[in-house]
Amino acid sequence: METLLFLAHVESDGSLATQAREALGAAREMADALSGAPLHVGVVGRDVAAAAGSIAGCGAARFLGVAGADFSQPRYASDAAAAEALCKAAAATVVIAPATSRWCRVLPGVAQRVGGRVDTHVTGISADGGAPSVTRWYYRQRMEATLTRAHRPWIIVLDPGCGAPWKGEAGAATVEVVPVKLSETCRRTTVTGVQAPPADQQTIRPDAGLLFVAGAGWTKTQPDGKVHAAEAAELILEFLRKAQASLGGSKSLVDLTGEGQAVLPFMTHLNQIGQTGATPRHPKGLSACCHGEEPHVVGWRFISERRAINLDPNCGWARGKADVLYVADAFAVLRRVNALLGEK
Amino acid sequence: MTTGYQIVVCGGIVPDPLQTLDPVANPAGPTIKNEMMLPAVLDPWAAHALYEAAHLAKATPGSKVWLVSLGPKAKLQQVMMTVAQKVPFELVALDGQAGGFTDTYEVAALLAGAIQAIPGLDRSRLLVFGGWESASRGAGATLQMVGERLHVLDQFQGVDRLAIAADGSFQILERIEGGRHQVSTCAGPPAVLGWATGSLPEPPNNSQVGMANMRTVMPALHRAKPAKVGAEGVTFARVSLPSQRRDTRIVKDLPVGEIAREIVAWITGA
Ligand SMILES: Cc1cc2nc3c(=O)[nH]c(=O)nc-3n(C[C@H](O)[C@H](O)[C@H](O)COP(=O)(O)OP(=O)(O)OC[C@H]3O[C@@H](n4cnc5c(N)ncnc54)[C@H](O)[C@@H]3O)c2cc1C
């Protein structure tokens, strides 16, 4: 019989993120499907009581915790030690954890340490037929596979937005503290903070309903023979503000930043969507001045509704990659869109 | 005492992203149709790691860069013809399957073994570099497992910057949620860094570098040991291409005002 462990870390305010609750929802479902498989909860952080309490009603057989100042920062050495201790204390055969940057940094290493195997970027978990199986994408979202593993322990790292967050009663949970003593070699790294663009230049909004993708066309010579990069920057920023959209870019556009051409100052490699960029999840996506080539469009795998604005009726979007292609000048369209959004 | 770094870049090869990929089921597990015929490239994020490694080695006298790569010998040779023109490195080649459907655990065991076998490697100055995710498996797991096997406890993923302070300590920027970077300091080597894009452009081809590299690349390929790699214990129930073609409605000759109204209605759900 399987023994399940839901593995989470607390946020800086001591709470559990929505993403962690999604992984808990998946773990709970699996425990129910594997009738009788015990579900354990393992939480890491400075103080784990509040987080454990917030999911007290999840039917866990045990709440285990690794806590203390040493475990407040997302640092490989301490997180690995904590996660290893929790996996062992629970004697888990299947571990389900959210794919936060903190867990992604460390859980494959933990799998190695506990003699296990790992699957990351999992988009679906099931226990049909009485055995756990997972679904994930290969070749940068080009093909989807469903697989099972004979080896245990098996660490499954679930991507955000791939399941409903667990909902249930909060209460008091008795947390069994799992002692972890860190050696000095685990303290060679210190996390000193987070670097983020100034609020008015923060263009990446993972929770936005709309992804707006700008392509290199914004910086290219326009039909009047001139480049209008400054106007492009203004139009895009105004649109992002009014539509509360998240900003993505094509590789060609973000690469220009490094080459000192007329560019959009707020665009960095972090905005890049595609093969060597991000694959964000948003319900809608609007592309403008981007050609829609395959290495870009693989980054749209998890964008449900897609529209594009391009001067070229034969661009990639026309070939089954978007629901609607507007053959038009994106400068003119965005100007009008901004005006209309302003009236709302 | 040496102050240089011993930088080992782990970089696999992947089909050129512009190619169409079709999965096929084989008794030993899934593979890509005509995989051996498809042009291959050095895995893009691993390529960034290699450029960062070369840059760091150049700035730090006494440093050396190795590129450890697992792939079918003939494919490795093809990719090295281009990569060797870019920056100086010594190749350590392993002759085995290079696809997304092999398991990280097995790949990591082979890579760690190859690193341990590098003659005279000073593990106290070791930096293991690589891409934070491959373009094939995209798991972000191999480097961590390699690091564990080499007992390296300072590990970083999604790295965009490594800056070295006067005292030899590192400041490292890693990508985290919401377009932000986590900032860490680390006492120094040994460390594992899985690179994202970093900040360096692709270096131009340099035929002198190419000639110097090829002197070690060809013997390394010649020496490359056959490496058995698969995905033991994994059963793929299904591998499929998404039904991704949409019925695109192409809107031409509509006045800009109308297009704008349609887009706003769509965005706002009105
Ligand atoms: C290894 C590798 C990895 C890659 N990874 C990625 C990746 O992660 N992400 C990515 O995006 N690409 C990636 N690419 C590059 C990709 O193949 C394309 O080159 C890139 O996406 C093109 O960017 P673009 O469409 O913005 O630019 P372009 O191809 O230059 O297209 C510009 C578009 O703007 C349109 N345009 C110009 N002016 C206007 C206007 N006024 N109104 C409307 N439309 C206008 C033009 O018609 C044109 O379609 C990768 C390539 C390789 C080889």
Side-chain angles (χ1 to χ4, degrees):
Chain A
M1 186 171 53
E2 305 285 4
T3 300
L4 305 187
L5 171 67
F6 159 64
L7 193 58
H9 57 77
V10 303
E11 299 304 301
S12 48
D13 64 357
S15 70
L16 280 186
T18 305
Q19 208 188 324
R21 289 169 176 272
E22 290 170 2
L24 174 58
R28 183 66 264 169
E29 264 178 40
M30 179 171 293
D32 293 342
L34 301 173
S35 41
L39 170 66
H40 300 258
V41 166
V43 189
V44 179
R46 179 187 291 272
D47 186 353
V48 300
S54 72
I55 52 169
C58 73
R62 288 160 86 194
F63 286 89
L64 304 165
V66 173
D70 267 335
F71 304 98
S72 62
Q73 49 176 317
R75 167 178 58 190
Y76 182 89
S78 41
D79 279 346
E84 175 193 7
L86 289 169
C87 290
K88 287 182 174 164
T93 58
V94 175
V95 179
I96 299 180
T100 58
S101 61
R102 183 169 181 176
W103 273 159
C104 288
R105 180 186 299 106
V106 69
L107 290 182
V110 173
Q112 174 72 43
R113 225 179 250 197
V114 299
R117 302 290 186 273
V118 67
D119 282 295
T120 56
H121 294 303
V122 167
T123 51
I125 302 181
S126 130
D128 292 350
S133 71
V134 299
T135 300
R136 74 185 298 283
W137 290 80
Y138 285 81
Y139 291 92
R140 301 294 296 163
Q141 292 71 248
R142 281 167 203 248
M143 54 195 80
E144 193 184 30
T146 302
L147 60 105
T148 57
R149 281 184 185 267
H151 196 97
R152 300 287 183 274
W154 181 10
I155 301 186
I156 298 171
V157 190
L158 182 69
D159 264 358
C162 295
W166 178 84
K167 278 202 191 92
E169 295 288 305
T174 310
V175 180
E176 293 173 45
V177 175
V178 178
V180 176
K181 208 170 148 24
L182 282 191
S183 66
E184 271 318 300
T185 49
C186 292
R187 294 200 179 90
R188 284 171 19 98
T189 290
T190 308
V191 177
T192 55
V194 165
Q195 212 174 70
D200 60 337
Q201 283 173 38
Q202 179 53 286
T203 57
I204 297 175
R205 302 184 176 115
D207 297 327
L210 177 73
L211 172 73
F212 177 76
V213 160
W218 287 104
T219 63
K220 297 262 163 85
T221 309
Q222 292 302 309
D224 64 358
K226 294 191 187 123
V227 172
H228 298 275
E231 189 192 358
E234 275 171 35
L235 283 171
I236 292 169
L237 281 181
E238 185 182 346
F239 176 74
L240 293 177
R241 202 175 56 245
K242 287 182 169 163
Q244 280 302 300
S246 188
L247 177 66
S250 70
K251 183 175 189 298
S252 297
L253 181 58
V254 303
D255 278 355
L256 289 175
T257 319
E259 291 162 17
Q261 297 193 27
V263 283
L264 309 176
F266 43 83
M267 192 63 111
T268 75
H269 279 114
L270 296 179
N271 295 98
Q272 185 183 321
I273 305 295
Q275 172 86 29
T276 45
T279 312
R281 278 174 193 272
H282 299 277
K284 294 175 187 171
L286 175 64
S287 138
C289 299
C290 162
H291 204 73
E293 287 190 35
E294 186 63 9
H296 173 75
V297 181
V298 292
W300 284 61
R301 179 67 67 222
F302 306 126
I303 308 292
S304 312
E305 297 178 32
R306 309 174 184 176
R307 297 192 180 195
I309 310 167
N310 201 305
L311 285 171
D312 181 355
N314 296 314
C315 67
W317 300 109
R319 294 192 288 271
K321 295 189 162 96
D323 304 311
V324 184
L325 168 66
Y326 298 102
V327 181
D329 175 8
F331 281 83
V333 173
L334 216 60
R335 235 177 262 131
R336 296 295 284 270
V337 166
N338 283 344
L340 287 172
L341 286 172
E343 289 166 12
K344 292 218 163 243
Chain B
M1 193 194 99
T2 171
T3 53
Y5 299 110
Q6 311 251 293
I7 314 174
V8 179
V9 182
C10 299
I13 56 175
V14 293
D16 185 318
L18 298 170
Q19 300 292 321
T20 304
L21 304 181
D22 278 322
V24 280
N26 281 328
T31 51
I32 300 295
K33 193 171 164 188
N34 295 332
E35 196 163 9
M36 284 305 282
M37 312 286 281
L38 296 173
V41 296
L42 185 62
D43 205 317
W45 271 314
H48 287 292
L50 179 65
Y51 308 150
E52 294 283 346
H55 184 76
L56 176 61
K58 199 171 170 191
T60 320
S63 298
K64 180 166 176 179
V65 177
W66 289 264
L67 174 62
V68 179
S69 198
L70 164 66
K73 214 183 242 199
K75 282 272 143 200
L76 281 178
Q77 181 168 346
Q78 176 220 318
V79 172
M80 287 309 139
M81 290 298 168
T82 322
V83 176
Q85 306 283 326
K86 300 290 177 190
V87 294
F89 62 83
E90 185 175 321
L91 179 70
V92 178
L94 294 160
D95 183 16
Q97 195 186 329
F101 299 110
T102 56
D103 197 43
T104 30
Y105 182 86
E106 296 184 27
V107 175
L110 289 167
L111 297 180
I115 295 172
Q116 278 160 328
I118 294 176
L121 188 74
D122 178 357
R123 298 265 290 267
S124 70
R125 302 299 299 169
L126 176 65
L127 294 177
V128 178
F129 279 19
W132 70 320
E133 284 181 358
S134 70
S136 49
R137 208 161 28 238
T142 311
L143 280 182
Q144 289 175 47
M145 291 182 153
V146 169
E148 281 291 321
R149 284 179 178 269
L150 300 174
H151 309 293
V152 180
L153 290 180
D154 293 283
Q155 299 204 18
F156 307 87
Q157 295 296 331
V159 176
D160 271 329
R161 196 171 79 203
L162 163 64
I164 300 183
D167 65 357
S169 67
F170 300 155
Q171 191 201 52
I172 294 161
L173 260 57
E174 291 169 276
R175 293 186 180 185
I176 57 167
E177 287 82 1
R180 299 172 305 153
H181 282 110
Q182 172 166 304
V183 187
S184 303
T185 57
C186 171
V192 169
L193 286 87
W195 283 88
T197 312
S199 60
L200 301 173
E202 181 175 333
N205 286 349
N206 179 328
S207 58
Q208 268 178 334
V209 168
M211 274 187 310
N213 278 341
M214 284 325 256
R215 275 201 284 275
T216 63
V217 164
M218 292 317 287
L221 286 167
H222 193 69
R223 273 197 310 274
K225 291 204 192 80
K228 189 178 163 296
V229 58
E232 208 191 307
V234 180
T235 308
F236 286 89
R238 179 185 64 91
V239 182
S240 57
L241 293 174
S243 51
Q244 60 181 7
R245 272 196 75 84
R246 293 163 185 246
D247 271 333
T248 310
R249 174 164 68 92
I250 300 178
V251 180
K252 265 196 257 189
D253 306 322
L254 192 67
V256 165
E258 286 302 308
I259 294 177
R261 248 186 294 284
E262 209 178 291
I263 290 175
V264 170
W266 172 62
I267 294 173
T268 57

